[in-house]
Amino acid sequence: MHSVKLWLNRSLTAQAVLALVIGVGINAAFRRDEHPVIWLIHGTAYAAVATGILAVQRRRAGRAAGTDTRGVADLTRKVRHREVPGDPQEREAMRRLIDDQLGTMERAGRWLPYWLGLMGLVVVGMIALGIIGGSLVFPLLFAVASAAFCFWILRMRRRTLDTYRHMRSNLESQA
């Protein structure tokens, strides 16, 4: 299992194949009446978009850290495990990567209240449509799922910021 996780972490191709399989599976589950070729076309489109976004993000992070995409994958794994590298060059690359990621998250944090407000408006709109339509089952399920998603986003954001700040302080103390 460890080797599969490492392979998925490092290989963009493996992630693309996984996205394709998930995309086809989701299409098969929700569009049972359509032909399987349509499932494959939609799954391929979803995988291409997801892989393109991931490739651009990795390339940008690699430029910020001064390393290649494989180096970024190794550095992010070490950050997740809170491992400080012994090599000074790798430590400097990790510092640059963490500074870039913290800057990105802090800039994106300015928009977080607006995104959460938009989610709240969508939930209120769905509940209003449910009241007008006479059925509240789906709108209430959507509201609960949206609230859970928003809390999960906030928790993961706080946890990631804590990890980055902890790693930044560890890197500064060992410099």
Side-chain angles (χ1 to χ4, degrees):
M1 184 65 169
H2 177 71
S3 62
V4 172
K5 284 173 59 176
L6 190 61
W7 178 58
L8 279 171
N9 189 30
R10 288 184 175 168
S11 173
L12 190 60
T13 305
Q15 292 171 359
V17 169
L18 182 63
L20 175 67
V21 169
I22 290 172
V24 170
I26 288 172
N27 276 300
F30 288 111
R31 298 178 180 186
R32 294 183 189 153
D33 56 339
E34 292 184 4
H35 197 272
V37 173
I38 301 297
W39 301 343
L40 186 61
I41 290 170
H42 287 181
T44 304
Y46 300 151
V49 169
T51 305
I53 290 170
L54 184 61
V56 167
Q57 286 177 340
R58 278 194 175 181
R59 192 171 300 125
R60 189 187 65 74
R63 280 194 308 264
T67 184
D68 61 346
T69 55
R70 181 167 290 227
V72 169
D74 289 337
L75 287 174
T76 55
R77 184 191 57 78
K78 287 180 180 180
V79 168
R80 279 193 314 267
H81 293 279
R82 297 185 177 213
E83 299 171 8
V84 177
D87 181 33
Q89 290 178 336
E90 192 176 5
R91 207 170 27 245
E92 180 61 24
M94 181 181 279
R95 187 195 58 75
R96 286 192 306 261
L97 179 67
I98 288 174
D99 287 343
D100 177 62
Q101 294 296 323
L102 267 173
T104 301
M105 288 186 74
E106 287 167 356
R107 282 190 306 275
R110 286 182 261 172
W111 290 97
L112 189 61
Y114 301 109
W115 284 109
L116 293 175
L118 179 66
M119 289 291 290
L121 286 175
V122 169
V123 166
V124 168
M126 289 292 292
I127 291 174
L129 287 174
I131 290 171
I132 291 170
S135 174
L136 284 174
V137 174
F138 177 72
L140 290 177
L141 286 174
F142 181 77
V144 169
S146 295
F149 179 70
C150 289
F151 283 121
W152 177 76
I153 289 291
L154 291 172
R155 180 178 174 271
M156 293 305 295
R157 176 179 160 68
R158 186 178 61 236
R159 197 171 120 195
T160 303
L161 283 171
D162 289 344
T163 300
Y164 284 153
R165 290 178 181 140
H166 173 78
M167 288 302 293
R168 182 195 280 170
S169 68
N170 280 353
L171 288 168
E172 289 173 356
S173 69
Q174 291 187 3

